[in-house]
Each structure stands twice: as structure tokens, then as C-alpha cells.
Amino acid sequence: MKNILVVFLFFSISVKAQNPISETCKIANSEMKNAERRINLEINSNTQNYDITYHKLEFNVDPAVYFISGKITTTYTALSNMNSLTFDLSNALTVSSVKINNTYLAFTQNTNELIITLPATQLTGNQATVEVVYSGAPPQNGFFAFTSTTHGPSNTPVIYTLSEPYGARDWWPCKQDLNDKINNIDVYITAPSQYVSVSNGVEPEAPVINGNLKTTHFRHNYPIPAYLICMAVTNYSIINQTGGAAPNEYPIINYIYPESDTTSVRAQLLQTPLILNYFSTLLENYPFANEKYGHAQFGWGGGMEHTTVSFMQNFSRGLIAHEMAHQWFGDKITCGTWKDIWLNEGFATYLASMIIENFDGQSAFTTEKANMIGNITSSAGGAVYLTDAEALSVNRIFDYRLTYHKAAMVLHMLRFKLGDTIFFQGLRNYLADTNLAFRYAVTTNLKSHLEAVYGTNLTEFFNDWVYNQGYPIYSISVQNTTAGQAQITVNQTTSHPSVPFFEMPVPIRLLGANGQSQDVIVNNTVNGEQFNVSVAFTVTGVQFDPTKNIISRMSVATLNNESVNIDTDIKIYPNPSSKSISISIPENIEIENAVIYSVLGQKIMETKSEKFWDISSFSSGIHFLVIQTNKGMKQFKFVKE
């Protein structure tokens, strides 16, 4: 924010959103799951001294039995001299052996760690391959990353995984910090032969049947973080589609519960290639086009964007679009810390809303934005970017009001501020950056790419809308001046003290008596700013932000054809006061409503047309009076002695 002098009048209002919440909250609940509210989230310093380049993951499971056994072969490079190697692994799982080059190694297990003693000091830059054999019943608390349940009228067994954010260690030995992507993986799933197995990537050969067991091999040749590696096993039906355009087509493989293989679900799945084509045209080609895209049905009430195969509870268009968008934002480029989770979820939510914009039209898009704004402003505070303390809470990481809806609307406001050409070119440059592609990014990486195309510093915007809290409350007055001219006056208060003023382009619609309409955008940088605009008709009405481009609440826009300035002509007295307060107001201004709030934003009193208020019973301290008049809104701060 610029260091400008403004008169700051603050009040905090907490009310429930009046608009319905979109499907996003269901997605958030799925991604959040029923994890512990607070978790040991500090970077594991014991896993920072090596870089993983390859995993061979061999899993043995039976969907009817809550148990896993496996062998994980990991190739890694020492980043410093090493005498031991540490993996993240729940102590609910038991390691039976560890070896390097057929040499068995000593190891210990403690709380959520496997510590392996190396046979000799491994020097910086040297590579080694270690094999870990383990088994056990994954923990059924914490992250619920490994689930064994049933589906359908026959209660068919199913196993599926969902590791975000910290659950991978609950079912296999890994390194799950957001600092190391595995270059490529091979996954072998051995399960009873009547079942179909699913994982990331493609099947390089047909499954191998050995007696009553079947081993299915998946290969994924793109860098991937541990939390996006997945597995699902049940009696799936397979519905095949094709994505892309010749000669660069790729398979879309849908793994569906047989009871869900209906005409209506197949109709929903027809949206998948259409959405893929739209995102590929808007951004860049599907990042994993050399392999596949697909869905695997599972039991959580939403979806999870596992790379190349999104796990889905249903196949609504909004859910398909959200999880698919993650393949660009979350899977190709992954948030570098959980404080930056909005780079995953905000983009997925916003791109899903753009499907509404482009498939259903602007009116439906405006309704979707209004719903998100209603949810965002249901509380006065809350930032998109997490604090260190907030990043310890899974509930806060996946807070749908802030991480999903506010982040999505912040992206829309960036698009509104920069314009489509600059905004989407900035996104394409961000996705193409070789330092970020198939790696990790933080908020400043996105900011830098948008600034490079925009040519102007965006620090003010990011400070206000990403790092700090709240939203603006506008009071806009329009007055006809000379023929063909109107004057617009913009005043603003804010919902949270972390931002005393939001600099934004403000959209206003001017209306005429004969159905005329003119949209103007004024670049509001200070309180009380006035703008003279040319209008081809006499203004008889005014609307604030009719297509919902700004996060705001309780903003008002009024027509003022009389020479009255409510910011100077209305006064409160006495102030301070111990007994009562009154309003001095011109005769041609009418009070329509008045509300008094405590400094905490609690509503104390509400009246209609009164100009006098008894405050003798109020507690001492600062209070706020907000009046709505026929000429606009006015706010006062007063002190009860």
C-alpha cells in the first residue's frame, strides 16, 4: 500500500453469506478430509540432505483387507556428506528389511521416521539406490490417506489413497516435504485378479496374472511430489475417450464404479475433452499429454487432483473442471509451501468458474462471482496467503472461503486490472518458466511474471489482496454537472485494519431515463477522489460493479443531482459524549437507516429515520455509526465517555 493519509473509519461486520455456496466447498472438504486440526508441519531437517530421482513402488493390497505390504526402491543423490538416510514413514507400518546393493543395512523407526544407517559415508553428489520392505495397517487417524471401504449395492471392496497434504507417509516410506519432486516413478500394484488397479501415468505393458493375483504396472515420466502419487483398486468399469487433436491425441481413461456407468454419467464425461480443449487453448497444451488424463471414482465427497488421474466422487462439470485445472496449477507447478496453497486452489477454482463464463455466458458467470463474493465477505477478515501458524492447520490450508473463493476472486481482479491479453500471457509465461515447470513455485514467482508483462509494479495489489485482509466498502455518488458531463465521487472504508485503503479500478454503470447505459471504470487511488466523465445522456441511475469484478460488501452507488456533499454537510455531535449523540443534516437529505456498532463489529442498535440516539447504556470506548441516506452512505466514529 502507498503511504497516503486517509481518514480511516473501521467497522467489522460478521454475517452469514446470503448467496448459496457453490460446489467449491465440497471440493475443499474432500481435499481437507478429516485430518488433524494441527499437525507437525515443520520441514523435516533430516530429509533435506538428499534429492530423490526415482522410485519403484511395489504394492500388495487386497481391497477386502485393511493392510498393505510393499517394497520401495529409491534412487537418490547426496546433497551433503551423509552417514544416514531418513524417510518419512508412519510408525504404524513395520519395516522388515533395508538394503543397498544386496547389503542389508541397520535401521530404526521412531515417530513417523525411518532412519537408515548407511554402510559408509556417502559423499556429496554421489548417487545410491536403497530398497525398503515394509508392511502393516496404515493409521486410521491423522490424514486418512489410505482407505478400505465398499461401494455399490453389492458392497464391493475398494481401496484408494488421498495423501494431500501430509498423508503419503501413512502408506509408504517417502520424502513428503514440498521441496523435492521425484523425476519419474514406476508403480506395480498386485491385487486379486478380479479387480482393476489405477495409478499415475500409463501402463507400458498388459497386467500380469499369476494364479489369483494380478500385477498392474504404471509408469509416470514427469516429476511428481509424494502427495500426488496415488493408488486405487476395485472392480472398475473403464470408459475410454480421447483428448487433444490429431496428430497429438492422448487417451482419457475413466475408471468408474459399475453402478455409476449410466447414461447420465457418460453424458457428464462428454464434458471432459471439451474442458481439456478449452484449458489447452487458453493456457498451453495439457502438461501430461505424453501419458493420459483420466478419472478414478472414489468415496470422498469431492475430488483430488492426482497427476494424470483425478480421483472423483462424482462427475459434475464443476468438479471435473476444478480437478483438471490442477493438472496445470498444482501438478505441473506445485505450491512451494502450504502458505502458497492459493496457487493451487485459487487457480483451480477460478478456471472452473471460467468454464461457466465460456460455456454458459456472462450472466451465469456474474452469478458465480456473486456467490463467491457473498461467501468471502461473510467475515470481515482473512488473507489468501497463510501465516506460519495458519499453515499448521489443515482446516485453514483448505479453508474454502479464503483458499478457494477469495483466491479465485483475487485472480479475477488481477485479470480485471491487467486486462485479458496481459493476464493470460503472464500465466502462460509462468507455466512455461523452466525454473518453475514441473517444479515448485511461491507467490512471488507468479507476481514477477505478471509484472513483467504488465510493465508496472504490483506490490500494492498483492499486499492488499494476497498478504493482508478484508475488502473495501464503497460509497459512490454521481452528479450531472454540465451537458454531457457527470462527476463521480468515490469514498471507501475497509472491513479490516490491515488494509486502510484498497487501490482498485472501480466499475460503475450509468443509466439514462430512456434505457441508456454506459459502463465506466475509474482508477480509485485516494478517498474522496472525483472523476469527470463524458456521458451521452442525463444520468438518472447508477450501479456499482454490476458484473461483480471486485470483492466488496454493502457498497452503495447513488445519484446526487443537488449540490450537497454528504461527506462535509452531515455532522455528528457531541463527540465524545456520555449520554447521547445527534446528527446535523440538511433538510433535503433523508436518513433511511442507521446502525451503531461496537469496535468489535457487534451491532448494538438499529433505527430508521431518527436523528438522535441515547447511548447512556453503552460501554465506554470507540463506537461506529453508519447511516444510509437518500444521497449515499456516511460513517462516523464516536467515543462514549
Side-chain angles (χ1 to χ4, degrees):
M1 294 169 292
K2 294 180 180 177
N3 293 319
I4 58 174
L5 179 63
V6 297
V7 178
F8 174 61
L9 302 173
F10 168 71
F11 64 93
S12 171
I13 304 173
S14 295
V15 295
K16 291 184 178 180
Q18 297 302 308
N19 293 317
I21 302 305
S22 72
E23 184 178 27
T24 315
C25 63
K26 299 178 183 178
I27 299 169
N29 288 337
S30 170
E31 292 172 339
M32 176 173 62
K33 303 175 294 176
N34 293 320
E36 296 171 337
R37 294 187 63 86
R38 295 186 65 82
I39 47 183
N40 182 8
L41 177 31
E42 295 82 5
I43 292 176
N44 187 349
S45 60
N46 297 323
T47 65
Q48 303 307 296
N49 58 349
Y50 63 93
D51 173 66
I52 295 177
T53 55
Y54 173 75
H55 276 313
K56 180 181 180 182
L57 304 106
E58 300 173 85
F59 300 120
N60 301 281
V61 293
D62 181 343
V65 181
Y66 191 83
F67 191 84
I68 186 171
S69 65
K71 179 169 69 176
I72 310 300
T73 304
T74 303
T75 300
Y76 67 95
T77 302
L79 300 179
S80 61
N81 292 348
M82 301 173 59
N83 292 303
S84 64
L85 173 67
T86 300
F87 288 126
D88 297 305
L89 181 66
S90 169
N91 55 0
L93 301 173
T94 301
V95 175
S96 56
S97 69
V98 178
K99 63 181 180 179
I100 290 181
N101 298 327
N102 293 319
T103 299
Y104 286 92
L105 305 181
F107 62 89
T108 59
Q109 287 186 255
N110 60 24
T111 303
N112 296 326
E113 280 189 338
L114 167 64
I115 304 167
I116 302 165
T117 302
L118 298 176
T121 300
Q122 184 174 340
L123 300 180
T124 303
N126 285 356
Q127 190 176 85
T129 299
V130 61
E131 174 190 290
V132 177
V133 178
Y134 74 103
S135 63
Q140 297 190 58
N141 51 24
F143 297 101
F144 297 94
F146 182 94
T147 297
S148 174
T149 185
T150 61
H151 68 87
S154 300
N155 292 318
T156 304
V158 57
I159 277 178
Y160 55 80
T161 63
L162 201 174
S163 298
E164 189 180 27
Y166 301 106
R169 70 188 181 197
D170 286 351
W171 59 285
W172 62 282
C174 61
K175 176 182 178 182
Q176 62 178 16
D177 292 331
L178 292 178
N179 55 31
D180 189 4
K181 285 192 177 183
I182 306 105
N183 293 5
N184 50 73
I185 60 173
D186 283 288
V187 181
Y188 294 83
I189 303 170
T190 299
S193 58
Q194 68 266 34
Y195 298 121
V196 174
S197 296
V198 182
S199 190
N200 314 90
V202 295
E203 296 182 46
E205 67 268 344
V208 176
I209 296 178
N210 184 8
N212 294 326
L213 299 177
K214 179 171 64 178
T215 299
T216 308
H217 174 201
F218 292 88
R219 176 171 293 156
H220 181 59
N221 282 324
Y222 294 90
I224 185 171
Y227 82 89
L228 289 176
I229 294 174
C230 65
M231 172 177 62
V233 182
T234 193
N235 64 331
Y236 285 120
S237 295
I238 298 177
I239 301 174
N240 291 300
Q241 297 173 286
T242 301
N248 299 312
E249 295 173 318
Y250 52 89
I252 301 171
I253 306 176
N254 302 285
Y255 301 88
I256 310 296
Y257 292 158
E259 64 271 16
S260 297
D261 189 358
T262 63
T263 300
S264 61
V265 167
R266 285 181 176 254
Q268 288 179 309
L269 289 173
L270 292 176
Q271 298 289 314
T272 303
L274 302 179
I275 299 170
L276 271 168
N277 181 63
Y278 173 71
F279 287 162
S280 296
T281 302
L282 180 71
L283 301 168
E284 63 175 17
N285 194 34
Y286 171 58
F288 308 102
N290 289 337
E291 295 187 352
K292 73 168 187 287
Y293 184 64
H295 305 111
Q297 196 164 6
F298 78 150
W300 285 109
M304 178 61 207
E305 67 274 13
H306 299 124
T307 311
T308 73
V309 55
S310 295
F311 282 18
M312 310 282 283
Q313 192 269 338
N314 63 73
F315 301 95
S316 67
R317 190 184 67 181
L319 184 59
I320 289 174
H322 181 99
E323 304 306 339
M324 185 191 298
H326 272 309
Q327 302 297 313
W328 285 264
F329 296 96
D331 293 6
K332 179 182 180 180
I333 297 182
T334 307
C335 61
T337 75
W338 293 110
K339 296 191 294 184
D340 299 278
I341 183 63
W342 79 285
L343 296 177
N344 291 17
E345 301 304 341
F347 271 109
T349 304
Y350 185 56
L351 287 170
S353 77
M354 287 189 65
I355 293 300
I356 296 174
E357 176 187 21
N358 285 274
F359 287 27
D360 301 336
Q362 290 299 318
S363 177
F365 186 44
T366 296
T367 299
E368 177 70 7
K369 289 183 289 182
N371 289 341
M372 289 194 287
I373 291 170
N375 184 35
I376 295 161
T377 59
S378 64
S379 293
V384 168
Y385 188 81
L386 276 67
T387 65
D388 289 338
E390 288 173 332
L392 295 173
S393 168
V394 175
N395 287 354
R396 175 59 187 89
I397 292 173
F398 297 106
D399 183 304
Y400 68 83
R401 183 176 74 88
L402 301 174
T403 298
Y404 292 72
H405 282 169
K406 187 174 184 181
M409 279 304 302
V410 165
L411 289 169
H412 179 75
M413 290 190 297
L414 277 166
R415 176 186 173 190
F416 176 66
K417 180 179 176 68
L418 275 57
D420 279 13
T421 300
I422 290 174
F423 177 72
F424 289 112
Q425 187 59 56
L427 297 192
R428 288 188 283 269
N429 294 350
Y430 170 80
L431 288 165
D433 187 337
T434 56
N435 293 316
L436 305 176
F438 302 104
R439 299 186 183 184
Y440 296 98
V442 294
T443 297
T444 52
N445 297 132
L446 174 66
K447 176 175 177 285
S448 296
H449 274 290
L450 293 174
E451 287 175 335
V453 184
Y454 187 45
T456 303
N457 188 293
L458 290 170
T459 298
E460 166 90 18
F461 182 95
F462 273 74
N463 283 347
D464 288 355
W465 288 108
V466 176
Y467 297 114
N468 285 306
Q469 304 183 50
Y471 52 85
I473 304 158
Y474 289 99
S475 176
I476 295 168
S477 175
V478 177
Q479 185 172 18
N480 292 293
T481 52
T482 60
Q485 292 285 315
Q487 185 178 81
I488 300 172
T489 303
V490 182
N491 284 285
Q492 176 195 131
T493 58
T494 64
S495 70
H496 193 274
S498 64
V499 183
F501 189 86
F502 289 89
E503 292 190 17
M504 276 297 293
V506 178
I508 300 164
R509 179 167 292 170
L510 306 177
L511 304 172
N514 297 317
Q516 302 101 320
S517 175
Q518 179 177 327
D519 289 340
V520 298
I521 298 173
V522 297
N523 190 28
N524 181 217
T525 59
V526 295
N527 236 344
E529 194 167 8
Q530 293 185 327
F531 304 89
N532 293 307
V533 297
S534 298
V535 189
F537 51 85
T538 299
V539 179
T540 59
V542 56
Q543 296 175 357
F544 165 75
D545 192 18
T547 57
K548 305 303 178 186
N549 292 303
I550 299 180
I551 298 172
S552 182
R553 189 179 185 89
M554 291 174 33
S555 293
V556 294
T558 56
L559 180 66
N560 179 12
N561 281 325
E562 302 175 43
S563 58
V564 174
N565 187 338
I566 65 172
D567 291 311
T568 58
D569 293 352
I570 304 177
K571 296 179 174 60
I572 185 174
Y573 67 94
N575 187 12
S577 175
S578 60
K579 295 181 179 180
S580 64
I581 55 172
S582 299
I583 283 286
S584 171
I585 188 169
E587 291 184 0
N588 57 350
I589 299 181
E590 298 175 0
I591 296 178
E592 298 173 344
N593 189 64
V595 184
I596 297 177
Y597 297 92
S598 73
V599 73
L600 298 177
Q602 298 169 319
K603 183 190 292 186
I604 299 175
M605 178 185 294
E606 182 172 7
T607 62
K608 293 299 181 183
S609 58
E610 283 80 359
K611 300 179 183 179
F612 170 90
W613 297 271
D614 182 354
I615 63 170
S616 59
S617 63
F618 289 13
S619 60
S620 299
I622 296 173
H623 294 73
F624 298 93
L625 170 65
V626 182
I627 63 168
Q628 177 66 52
T629 77
N630 61 328
K631 304 299 183 183
M633 184 174 67
K634 175 71 174 176
Q635 302 176 43
F636 299 90
K637 178 171 70 175
F638 67 90
V639 177
K640 165 60 166 61
E641 293 182 324

